[in-house]
Amino acid sequence: MSAHSSAQPGLPVLPGALFGSRQGEITQVPSPLQRAVDVTFRRLCHAFAWFTILLVTFIVLRIAMSAAPAMREQGWGFLTGRVWDANAGQFGILAQIWGTLYTSILALILGTAFGVAAAVFLSEGFLGSTIFGLLKYFGVHLHPWWGRLPDQIERILKELIELLAAIPSVVYGLWGIFVVIPLIRPLCHALHEHAGWIPLFSTDLSGPGVLPAVIVLAIMIMPTVTAISRDALVSVPVKLRMAAYGLGATRWESIFAVILPTASRGIAGGIVLAFGRALGETMALAMLVGNSNQINLSLFSPANTLAALLANNFPEAGPREVGLLMYAALVLLGITLVVNIMGAFILQRAAKNAAE
Amino acid sequence: MAASVQPIEPNSRPVASPHDHDIVMHCDIRELFYGNFKAVRDTSIPIKKNSITAFIGPSGCGKSTVLRCLNRMNDLVRGFRFEGKVRFRGRDIYETGIDPVAVRRFIGMVFQQPNPFATSIFNNVAFGLRLNGYKGDKAAKVESALRGAALWDEVKDKLHKSGLSLSGGQQQRLCIARAIATEPEVLLMDEPCSALDPIATRKIEELMTDLRKKFTIAIVTHNLQQAQRVADYTGFLYVDTSMGGRTGYLVEFEQSRKLFEDPQHKHTKEYIRGEFS
Amino acid sequence: MAEPLSNPNLGIEDPFAGVDFSELEHSLRRPRTFMDFVLNGLVTLMTLSALVPLFSVVLMLLWRGGKRLGLALFTQLPPAPLETGGGFGNAIVGTVLMVLLAVLLSVPVGLMTAIYLAQAKQSKVAEVVRFAAKVLTGFPSILAGVFAYGAIVLTTGGFSALAGAVALSVLMLPTIVLTSEDALRMVPSRMKEASVGMGATSTQTVWMVLLPTAMPGILTGVMLAVARAAGETAPLIFTALFSNYWMWSHGEVQVLQPTASLAVLIYNFAGMPFKNQVELAWAAALVLVLFVLIANLIGQSLSNKQVQQG
């Protein structure tokens, strides 16, 4: 059997063309236009992918370059100065750094507690089993409509918690001013009266302050913690749960001994990302924290954060102040970048572990 | 090659004569690698006009790989390397300067899993026409392709419905209709019935013997009876594990009847007997 | 040892007589069971209390924002201090326009990047792009504003809708890239194979198979990004600033002038000591939340569509 070269005798094989397309045949070699479009489109996609990388680099460089003159002028003293006074020509952001970290850490503690609790509640079928028990009590657990209720309600609850993240931060700020502050003021006043010796309660709440800001911030970051933790908890293999239950562990013994440790990497990643979000959050803090450059442990004293400083001063900043604000922005960028990269890294390793 | 071929259905088509000018494609693989893994070696198979050529062999023998060589689908696999020639229309399709995209337009393919697009039945079939910038009457071509795939009567009232709404067997026939709508010269079928039930398989087999009148078909199958029922020629591939690898190679290529009734090679004999006993 | 049965008539030994069955009964007096009960209650309570803010926000919006809801809000301009009435028609126009402009800027870039990522899968560039996009998701929104201030406001010499839109598009980009890539990858690879096997160029495969099949998922990502951008305030405060006037003058839309937005209006009016302005802030918050929720709902329903299709 010899390999024959000409399938169609008499058919001219054009040197440049691939195959001689015959007249009236549907099948055609790709037209020059199709080829040109293909190459152009692929190059364009590649170019835009590079553009995304360059954009991130450009953003960082742009901010760094704008900050450079101020950095040269102020040096490290900018980071340790406690006063921001344009009239006195004194600029320092230690108070803002302190406020940023203090509010974020407190909000993280609060948001993590509730967020992880909600994640456990959603992933371990608490609600479903309770409702199922109720339905069984009324004898309708096999009913075609009622029987679906546990799943439906769990889904709705999950979506409601996700909805918390959808509300714009400025609306939370508004709500904080007109609902949270009036609501907690009597309680704060009482705490200050009776337990003022504790540093946390050493001043009185006069309106905006750390506590209302922390409460609202915690509400804003909770959905992040819940969503990521729930994903991590759900992906714990069923066989591990079964092993724990099979040994006679109660539900909570298996949660603490097996499920939470297995999901800990994912939960940790979620917490770190939520921390990054809290550090960068602007509006709720600008509206609730009081914008006063103080370093104070008290929950009721006003404070300031880096993001709020930028939000308040940029609109009316002169050229000199813009440089200083860019310096502050660069500090904020550095802090959030480190935290976010850490979070992404932890989550990536958690995902890799889960895959193995 | 033997001098005369007995067609399986004597009335359906003229006797295939083994003259060279009947060879549409000639696949000549010397060595084929995926990365460092040598998947196939020394396989030379001619594919004749208006015939069905089947590739059989134990799993892992590289029969699908050989088939995918014929329209350069392997190019999509990372680390694919190829040493040899696949001749089609007077050219080696692996020659530098040949566009694999163009190759695939002339050599259509039907896959193991039915894979219609998530769009209407009509658009599925018209897909290839659009690719090729067909200017004529698309509706007529779609109808004739669907008739050719024996699907027209079942779908003519719901051409706008999603291709995914059809049953498995119907989906596979839709994919065949999609492949033949552009009237490619060769149709490659990679285990087209393995995901289907016996009744759907039956229909596809009937369709293949019908399509042979217009097209040239190469098919991979793990079902020996199927090869016996539909194929004019059959190539048997076997796995060589001697070097510690799993490299497939062609053991025997013959007219189907001859291969199944009087296999020459030891491996072929064992394989065919093993399957039947 | 087994005691004789209490029923003397039978006279058979009970094999379970030595077992204290009360041990098996559910009782809260056992510490383990009790702990379980307490923790169940605690977690339930914490989860439900997490929803209190949501209901509180929604109720307040309906109660305080609903009072002013009317046509005037959409047709009138923001009032000056101590003025009565007024609305925020210009802020709605400004928000819609800036979000649309941001969509125009970010969707082509984001989608093409996603197409590249979905095709390139494991290449080094793809890894870096994905990492960049993830870093950008956690990027504080105010820094997008700082960037737009440096790149647009300082170079064009003034606050403008364009600067606001650029800031918003930086925030939308990563969402669009990551969700679109996911949607494109969810297209079954056998569909891609079918298209390639027919001799489609990779561009034809993208346009004729991948994009139509992944469209619901892509639109979900775009809607989520729109919902987020519409509510963003921080990047607008010092890029678009605010304006008390309509965006058009001399019959032209002024893209390079300071522009009002709902979010900044809420921020500005929330801190004012005037009842009228505070009421308008609540009404604007209601309108904004409705806008965001509708965008979210559209996105959700589209993503359900893709799930059904897959």
Side-chain angles (χ1 to χ4, degrees):
Chain A
M1 176 85 29
S2 73
H4 196 76
S5 57
S6 170
Q8 297 292 322
L11 183 80
V13 177
L14 302 172
L18 267 178
F19 312 110
S21 297
R22 283 158 295 187
Q23 276 273 303
E25 217 180 39
I26 297 171
T27 313
Q28 300 291 330
V29 294
S31 67
L33 181 68
Q34 284 180 352
R35 278 174 211 277
V37 168
D38 183 44
V39 172
T40 317
F41 185 74
R42 271 190 295 180
R43 294 219 174 118
L44 214 58
C45 286
H46 199 155
F48 274 121
W50 272 103
F51 177 81
T52 306
I53 300 175
L54 291 179
L55 180 71
V56 176
T57 327
F58 182 59
I59 290 172
V60 175
L61 281 182
R62 178 76 233 188
I63 295 175
M65 266 156 52
S66 311
M71 285 171 83
R72 240 174 281 125
E73 183 197 316
Q74 301 279 333
W76 296 107
F78 188 65
L79 301 180
T80 51
R82 292 169 168 234
V83 187
W84 184 285
D85 188 344
N87 297 328
Q90 269 189 309
F91 298 98
I93 54 167
L94 188 66
Q96 284 86 347
I97 294 177
W98 158 259
T100 303
L101 293 175
Y102 192 49
T103 50
S104 296
I105 289 170
L106 289 176
L108 192 66
I109 294 168
L110 207 60
T112 301
F114 281 87
V116 174
V120 170
F121 187 81
L122 285 173
S123 67
E124 302 303 310
F126 282 85
L127 195 63
S129 61
T130 314
I131 295 171
F132 186 79
L134 265 176
L135 292 177
K136 202 167 178 185
Y137 181 77
F138 291 110
V140 290
H141 58 292
L142 296 176
H143 188 274
W145 192 85
W146 288 101
R148 283 217 309 268
L149 206 60
D151 290 341
Q152 300 273 8
I153 290 186
E154 264 191 358
R155 197 176 49 90
I156 290 171
L157 191 66
K158 180 177 156 258
E159 276 168 16
L160 281 179
I161 289 182
E162 277 168 12
L163 213 56
L164 275 173
I167 292 174
S169 62
V170 70
V171 175
Y172 277 121
L174 186 70
W175 176 74
I177 293 175
F178 292 98
V179 178
V180 176
I181 294 180
L183 198 70
I184 61 171
R185 196 182 278 159
L187 181 78
C188 298
H189 189 68
L191 274 172
H192 174 61
E193 288 279 284
H194 298 106
W197 50 271
I198 302 175
L200 289 180
F201 310 135
S202 57
T203 60
D204 200 0
L205 187 75
S206 60
V210 172
L211 187 63
V214 164
I215 291 174
V216 171
L217 201 51
I219 295 169
M220 294 176 70
I221 62 171
M222 197 203 83
T224 309
V225 179
T226 305
I228 298 178
S229 306
R230 188 183 160 274
D231 284 350
L233 288 167
V234 167
S235 65
V236 172
V238 180
K239 58 181 182 187
L240 281 180
R241 288 159 203 267
M242 291 305 136
Y245 283 124
L247 289 170
T250 64
R251 179 194 254 166
W252 278 98
E253 281 164 351
S254 68
I255 288 174
F256 281 126
V258 177
I259 298 169
L260 282 178
T262 315
S264 61
R265 279 249 177 93
I267 295 174
I271 292 172
V272 176
L273 285 187
F275 188 51
R277 187 147 300 172
L279 290 170
E281 172 49 40
T282 313
M283 297 322 297
L285 289 159
M287 294 166 88
L288 294 171
V289 85
N291 301 319
S292 147
N293 303 330
Q294 299 185 26
I295 298 181
N296 195 328
L297 265 181
S298 170
L299 292 177
F300 307 145
S301 84
N304 205 355
T305 71
L306 286 169
L309 173 83
L310 300 176
N312 285 324
N313 293 1
F314 248 118
E316 283 128 31
R320 179 176 141 82
E321 217 178 351
V322 166
L324 294 162
L325 289 170
M326 288 285 183
Y327 192 178
L330 193 64
V331 173
L332 177 62
L333 177 69
I335 298 175
T336 51
L337 216 54
V338 168
V339 171
N340 277 322
I341 289 175
M342 236 161 67
F345 191 67
I346 295 175
L347 276 181
Q348 210 161 39
R349 277 186 53 185
K352 236 176 228 167
N353 267 31
E356 285 160 13
Chain B
M1 212 68 268
S4 74
V5 177
Q6 291 299 110
I8 288 164
E9 284 168 277
N11 299 328
S12 66
R13 50 183 275 277
V15 174
S17 55
H19 295 300
D20 279 355
H21 68 258
D22 277 345
I23 296 170
V24 175
M25 289 192 85
H26 193 282
C27 162
D28 187 5
I29 300 170
R30 221 170 304 148
E31 277 177 328
L32 189 155
F33 288 88
Y34 291 129
N36 290 325
F37 169 63
K38 193 201 264 189
V40 180
R41 66 168 170 83
D42 304 318
T43 296
S44 173
I45 300 175
I47 291 167
K48 303 200 173 194
K49 196 169 168 61
N50 296 100
S51 73
I52 299 179
T53 306
F55 301 169
I56 59 168
S59 56
C61 70
K63 50 192 191 294
S64 284
T65 307
V66 171
L67 191 77
R68 280 163 172 256
C69 258
L70 299 183
N71 72 342
R72 296 193 61 170
M73 284 302 278
N74 281 332
D75 288 27
L76 304 178
V77 181
R78 251 163 197 273
F80 167 73
R81 284 184 294 138
F82 175 80
E83 180 61 48
K85 281 192 169 115
V86 177
R87 289 183 182 280
F88 175 68
R89 283 199 177 182
R91 299 282 290 269
D92 173 12
I93 61 172
Y94 282 90
E95 225 171 81
T96 46
I98 295 250
D99 184 358
V101 169
V103 172
R104 295 179 198 127
R105 292 194 180 180
F106 291 87
I107 305 170
M109 186 149 194
V110 176
F111 296 83
Q112 191 169 356
Q113 294 281 334
N115 52 2
F117 300 126
T119 170
S120 69
I121 293 169
F122 182 92
N123 284 338
N124 260 292
V125 182
F127 182 84
L129 301 174
R130 298 212 173 95
L131 282 187
N132 288 290
Y134 181 66
K135 295 286 189 301
D137 183 0
K138 284 204 185 80
K141 283 288 174 199
V142 168
E143 181 179 338
S144 74
L146 283 168
R147 281 188 195 282
L151 191 62
W152 175 252
D153 292 331
E154 290 158 64
V155 301
K156 64 179 178 224
D157 300 323
K158 47 176 187 178
L159 289 174
H160 61 280
K161 283 241 175 90
S162 166
L164 295 166
S165 66
L166 298 174
S167 73
Q170 287 175 324
Q171 286 191 8
Q172 194 61 303
R173 276 180 284 150
L174 178 63
C175 294
I176 293 175
R178 183 176 62 191
I180 63 176
T182 55
E183 294 165 12
E185 202 153 330
V186 182
L187 205 54
L188 308 178
M189 298 179 139
D190 187 358
E191 303 195 21
C193 303
S194 69
L196 305 181
D197 61 67
I199 294 168
T201 303
R202 187 60 182 254
K203 278 197 171 156
I204 304 265
E205 283 179 13
E206 281 167 10
L207 183 57
M208 278 191 277
T209 47
D210 218 32
L211 289 172
R212 177 171 55 182
K213 292 171 202 158
K214 269 183 100 175
F215 302 97
T216 305
I217 298 176
I219 174 176
V220 163
T221 176
H222 60 261
N223 181 336
L224 287 181
Q225 285 100 321
Q226 185 171 64
Q228 219 173 2
R229 279 195 297 266
V230 302
D232 302 302
Y233 299 95
T234 301
F236 173 68
L237 284 88
Y238 194 69
V239 199
D240 175 11
T241 49
S242 60
M243 305 291 281
R246 288 186 63 84
T247 306
Y249 67 102
L250 182 71
V251 174
E252 207 168 337
F253 181 81
E254 264 303 342
Q255 291 163 40
S256 298
R257 174 165 292 188
K258 189 150 183 287
L259 185 108
F260 282 104
E261 283 175 0
D262 182 23
Q264 297 298 308
H265 201 279
K266 188 181 84 170
H267 290 314
T268 324
K269 272 182 199 154
E270 281 171 4
Y271 184 68
I272 290 171
R273 214 183 303 127
E275 285 283 320
F276 289 134
S277 60
Chain C
M1 264 329 294
E3 304 270 308
L5 262 184
S6 52
N7 189 343
N9 296 340
L10 286 171
I12 326 165
E13 279 190 18
D14 181 359
F16 298 116
V19 179
D20 180 6
F21 279 101
S22 67
E23 287 258 342
L24 294 179
E25 270 166 29
H26 193 78
S27 163
L28 287 182
R29 255 177 264 153
R30 244 177 292 286
R32 288 173 70 193
T33 324
F34 184 70
M35 270 307 284
D36 241 38
F37 180 77
V38 168
L39 285 169
N40 282 349
L42 189 70
V43 164
T44 311
L45 208 69
M46 282 173 89
T47 308
L48 294 182
S49 68
L51 291 177
V52 169
L54 183 69
F55 290 118
S56 168
V57 168
V58 170
L59 284 178
M60 286 300 285
L61 283 174
L62 292 176
W63 177 48
R64 298 198 62 166
K67 272 195 294 203
R68 285 292 291 266
L69 210 58
L71 199 63
L73 291 183
F74 302 94
T75 56
Q76 294 186 8
L77 291 172
L82 299 175
E83 224 175 57
T84 55
F88 40 72
N90 63 336
I92 295 177
V93 173
T95 293
V96 170
L97 189 111
M98 281 191 282
V99 170
L100 279 183
L101 208 56
V103 166
L104 286 182
L105 288 172
S106 60
V107 167
V109 180
L111 197 52
M112 303 262 255
T113 306
I115 289 170
Y116 173 81
L117 291 181
Q119 306 273 62
K121 283 190 180 124
Q122 282 129 16
S123 80
K124 273 274 176 304
V125 182
E127 291 285 318
V128 178
V129 173
R130 249 175 241 130
F131 189 74
K134 273 183 197 148
V135 168
L136 219 48
T137 8
F139 202 66
S141 60
I142 191 151
L143 290 180
V146 173
F147 163 70
Y149 183 90
I152 311 278
V153 174
L154 289 184
T155 47
T156 60
F159 302 105
S160 64
L162 181 69
V166 167
L168 293 182
S169 64
V170 167
L171 293 171
M172 292 172 76
L173 186 64
T175 316
I176 293 173
V177 170
L178 295 174
T179 51
S180 302
E181 193 207 342
D182 272 355
L184 287 168
R185 272 165 178 252
M186 265 163 61
V187 177
S189 63
R190 55 201 161 94
M191 281 192 198
K192 272 178 253 174
E193 258 190 345
S195 168
V196 172
M198 304 253 338
T201 63
S202 64
T203 305
Q204 282 174 321
T205 304
V206 167
W207 281 95
M208 295 172 76
V209 178
L210 290 184
L211 283 180
T213 313
M215 199 38 82
I218 293 169
L219 288 179
T220 301
V222 173
M223 288 319 286
L224 290 180
V226 163
R228 187 183 165 199
E232 282 293 353
T233 317
L236 296 180
I237 301 175
F238 47 87
T239 51
L241 209 68
F242 194 73
S243 152
N244 282 318
Y245 308 102
W246 293 100
M247 278 191 71
W248 41 80
S249 59
H250 317 298
E252 278 176 35
V253 178
Q254 302 290 324
V255 186
L256 289 176
Q257 291 296 317
T259 304
S261 58
L262 281 174
V264 176
L265 178 123
I266 298 169
Y267 174 59
N268 287 346
F269 282 9
M272 284 192 184
F274 310 110
K275 191 165 163 271
N276 188 25
Q277 265 74 1
V278 171
E279 274 179 12
L280 279 177
W282 279 103
L286 179 62
V287 172
L288 184 61
V289 168
L290 282 178
F291 189 92
V292 168
L293 286 190
I294 289 170
N296 262 316
L297 282 179
I298 294 174
Q300 291 276 333
S301 65
L302 284 168
S303 81
N304 291 341
K305 211 168 152 191
Q306 171 139 9
V307 170
Q308 282 162 19
Q309 201 179 63

